[in-house]
Amino acid sequence: MREELLFPGLKLDVRQLAVVEGALIVDAAACAPAGRCPQCDRPGVRVHSRYWRHIAGLPIGGQKVVVRLRVRRFFCDQGQCRRRTFMEQVAGLTEPRLRSSTAARSAMRTVAVELGGCPGQRLCTKLRLHGRRTALLGQLKAPPVSARAPRILGIDEFAFRKGRTYGTVLVDIETSRPVDVLPDRETGTVTAWLQEHPGAEIVRRDRLMAFTKAIRQAAPDALEVADRWHLLQNLSTAVEKTCRRHCDCLRRPAGSEASTPLRTPETPLLDRIRRRHAEVNELAATGLSLNAIGRRLQLDRKTVRRYRNKDLAGLLASAQDRGHGVLDPFIEHVQHRFQAGCTSSMQLYRELLALGYTGGYHVVNRNVMAIREGIAVPARSVAPRPRDITSWIMRPQESLNTSDVAQLDAVRSACPEIAQACDLAREFTDMLHHRRGHLLRDWIQKAERGGPDALGVFADSIRQDLHAITAGLTLPYSSGIVEGHVNRIKTIKRQMYGRASFALLRARILLQP
């Protein structure tokens, strides 16, 4: 009766139950026929010895369970077998050299897959389950990868360390399960995997050139489908660049004519940006890496990359936004009070605080000094930020409220280039949402001939990958499944505190349902 309750279906003879220090100790012995030699499969006849094994089982009634199992060691009488003795195993309970039951290891594997090492150990302690950190991680073994790739394969990159090292995840789009994880995103690595696992008919990928080259080399017959989400992201970036380049159109002095140019005063910050932009691009033209340029100019690698990738006009526009936006609503008051005889920066700063100003004193003082020197910028109409304008353009029109629509209309009236970018962006978005890929060539020609520069560059990049992007705007396959796995990888990395080896990370990714 006890055997059926505690170990249903197992050939065990339970002899005694005892509770010792909060743990349930079960004394049992195997009652199955003699075991077979694991090497020659010959049944044992002669008993060599008997001894106790301690097997950790699943908890019962909130108590830990330890099975003290009496087992036999047999002689192997097969003369040609290299093994002389072997130990009997209880099917469904024990395995060689393991101190946990089959059911306990299954529970430990589930905990390890979901939580990893230290968090899993804390949960096992609360569940009264034997499971230390190293034992849990030892349960994570990556399953074998199928010899053939899935029919519809998704490929995307993920960051081991953002901006430094990246890996590649491959996903079966039809089953929504990860297929494999690669240690980098190099063309050679992806090409080798595709050659070793043929069978992909459709490959859903992002716009990384390494993936494009790998697919064309290893699976030339596969249909490439570009990711729609990254297309919208690239389009949004192009629209925001256009808004930044033409933001001066929105900063006319209050009450001035639209044709009156606004003279930007020279500042040390703008001079430094021009100098650094020239130095970085001059060194980059010689073939130096970002790290080498950063060491020579004593700049961070990300700063070097920004100066190399962004144009000078965009950098200057961003610098002019810095610190002035918070003062713009109060510039007219400062200029009026200065002309009335109040020339103290501190007095003006106190007055602005009473009016709701939230910036610092140095911003007010810098503006007052500019008024004294005669280079102050006239009071400007408060303009929306380029990022807000981009949001109004890229969002569905029905999701905009009345205020957003009114501000966007004012922006379009003030700047024809932004209005043109808005029309092109909405046309592309409509084409993407309604799967009208056959209209893509016409859109490219329109953007290249009369669109803003940033939209022209975006259109040229589409032309270079025209077939894959046309398929992406025509076929229903979505990369949302792949992006979901990328987000899951980020969660796993946070749980493992970024210290996990690639093999362990790969095992957790492939084992999770």
Side-chain angles (χ1 to χ4, degrees):
M1 184 63 180
R2 291 181 297 183
E3 292 81 356
E4 291 299 325
L5 290 175
L6 296 176
F7 309 104
L10 301 184
K11 296 181 179 181
L12 283 179
D13 178 22
V14 177
R15 299 176 178 177
Q16 184 179 359
L17 300 176
V19 177
V20 179
E21 297 181 354
L24 178 62
I25 308 299
V26 181
D27 286 351
C31 57
R36 292 180 174 273
C37 174
Q39 190 162 346
C40 66
D41 200 35
R42 181 185 179 95
V45 176
R46 296 187 299 137
V47 176
H48 174 276
S49 59
R50 293 179 174 84
Y51 67 96
W52 293 97
R53 290 187 65 183
H54 292 76
I55 307 298
L58 290 176
I60 298 177
Q63 293 181 328
K64 292 183 178 180
V65 173
V66 177
V67 181
R68 294 180 69 246
L69 185 62
R70 187 73 167 175
V71 293
R72 298 168 290 180
R73 181 176 290 275
F74 291 91
F75 285 104
C76 181
D77 296 325
Q78 178 68 22
Q80 298 179 350
C81 183
R82 299 178 58 184
R83 184 182 290 270
R84 291 291 173 257
T85 63
F86 62 90
M87 183 183 66
E88 68 175 336
Q89 303 293 337
V90 179
L93 180 66
T94 66
E95 289 185 18
R97 294 179 295 276
L98 295 179
R99 301 179 63 182
S100 297
S101 67
T102 303
R105 287 196 303 276
S106 178
M108 291 166 59
R109 186 179 302 109
T110 301
V111 171
V113 168
E114 296 296 335
L115 297 179
C118 292
Q121 177 178 334
R122 292 192 292 268
L123 179 61
C124 288
T125 301
K126 294 182 178 180
L127 296 179
R128 302 295 189 270
L129 181 66
H130 293 269
R132 293 186 177 276
R133 177 180 62 87
T134 53
L136 291 173
L137 296 181
Q139 300 295 325
L140 297 176
K141 304 295 182 183
V145 179
S146 175
R148 292 187 63 83
R151 188 178 72 90
I152 305 178
L153 178 66
I155 302 180
D156 202 354
E157 61 181 351
F158 66 91
F160 291 113
R161 186 178 179 187
K162 190 173 181 180
R164 299 293 184 92
T165 55
Y166 288 82
T168 302
V169 60
L170 301 100
V171 180
D172 186 343
I173 299 295
E174 293 182 304
T175 62
S176 302
R177 292 189 61 86
V179 177
D180 203 353
V181 182
L182 306 182
D184 56 53
R185 57 177 181 180
E186 300 299 326
T187 301
T189 305
V190 181
T191 301
W193 192 95
L194 291 174
Q195 291 174 343
E196 295 172 1
H197 305 82
E201 300 177 7
I202 300 173
V203 181
R204 185 81 186 184
R205 59 166 175 80
D206 66 6
R207 302 186 64 196
L208 187 66
M209 188 56 64
F211 295 159
T212 304
K213 293 180 180 178
I215 296 169
R216 293 174 182 174
Q217 292 175 12
D221 297 331
L223 175 62
E224 298 181 54
V225 182
D227 174 23
R228 291 190 290 271
W229 186 86
H230 285 93
L231 286 173
L232 287 178
Q233 184 186 44
N234 296 339
L235 174 63
S236 177
T237 301
V239 172
E240 186 172 353
K241 285 183 178 179
T242 302
C243 294
R244 290 192 180 279
R245 289 178 182 175
H246 297 280
C247 57
D248 282 347
C249 301
L250 313 177
R251 295 172 174 168
R252 305 294 180 188
S256 68
E257 297 295 332
S259 59
T260 304
L262 179 63
R263 184 174 68 91
T264 302
E266 294 297 324
T267 63
L269 174 61
L270 300 183
D271 292 339
R272 185 168 68 249
I273 290 175
R274 292 190 182 93
R275 185 179 67 256
R276 284 182 176 175
H277 183 269
E279 292 173 347
V280 168
N281 284 274
E282 181 179 352
L283 293 175
T286 64
L288 289 179
S289 65
L290 297 180
N291 290 331
I293 297 174
R295 287 192 295 268
R296 181 169 298 187
L297 299 180
Q298 297 183 350
L299 297 175
D300 184 74
R301 182 177 183 274
K302 294 180 180 178
T303 304
V304 175
R305 183 173 58 187
R306 186 173 70 253
Y307 277 101
R308 186 196 65 179
N309 295 343
K310 287 191 176 183
D311 60 333
L312 181 59
L315 293 171
L316 293 176
S318 298
Q320 291 169 22
D321 286 340
R322 195 178 305 166
H324 287 290
V326 71
L327 185 62
D328 281 348
F330 307 97
I331 288 181
E332 187 174 0
H333 174 83
V334 172
Q335 294 176 348
H336 175 73
R337 292 286 293 134
F338 189 91
Q339 295 172 1
C342 182
T343 59
S344 170
S345 300
M346 181 57 68
Q347 178 61 32
L348 292 171
Y349 172 64
R350 294 193 182 100
E351 293 179 7
L352 294 185
L353 289 178
L355 295 175
Y357 173 68
T358 58
Y361 165 76
H362 66 283
V363 178
V364 178
N365 184 54
R366 186 166 61 241
N367 186 264
V368 172
M369 291 176 62
I371 296 176
R372 290 196 183 102
E373 296 172 3
I375 61 171
V377 176
R380 300 175 294 184
S381 57
V382 179
R385 298 180 303 172
R387 183 169 296 181
D388 293 334
I389 301 174
T390 304
S391 174
W392 300 332
I393 294 174
M394 298 302 299
R395 284 162 51 193
Q397 298 184 46
E398 57 272 13
S399 67
L400 301 178
N401 56 39
T402 306
S403 175
D404 295 341
V405 172
Q407 292 186 77
L408 181 58
D409 290 341
V411 169
R412 288 171 58 92
S413 301
C415 183
E417 288 80 6
I418 295 180
Q420 195 170 21
C422 177
D423 294 336
L424 288 170
R426 286 181 170 176
E427 183 179 348
F428 185 90
T429 304
D430 182 75
M431 181 171 52
L432 182 145
H433 287 160
H434 294 89
R435 308 285 197 277
R436 296 171 181 166
H438 61 282
L439 302 176
L440 183 58
R441 290 180 183 271
D442 296 336
W443 187 91
I444 293 175
Q445 294 178 358
K446 187 183 301 185
E448 289 180 337
R449 289 176 181 175
D453 293 342
L455 270 295
V457 173
F458 173 70
D460 181 66
S461 69
I462 292 179
R463 186 182 294 279
Q464 297 176 14
D465 198 16
L466 183 60
H467 295 293
I469 295 178
T470 302
L473 299 185
T474 306
L475 301 178
Y477 305 113
S478 171
S479 63
I481 296 171
V482 185
E483 294 296 336
H485 281 284
V486 172
N487 288 332
R488 188 166 62 85
I489 291 173
K490 295 177 182 178
T491 303
I492 293 174
K493 284 174 50 189
R494 284 193 291 268
Q495 290 176 347
M496 303 169 88
Y497 307 107
R499 298 195 298 264
S501 64
F502 171 73
L504 183 57
L505 180 64
R506 177 175 177 268
R508 284 199 65 185
I509 294 171
L510 298 182
L511 284 172
Q512 281 201 337

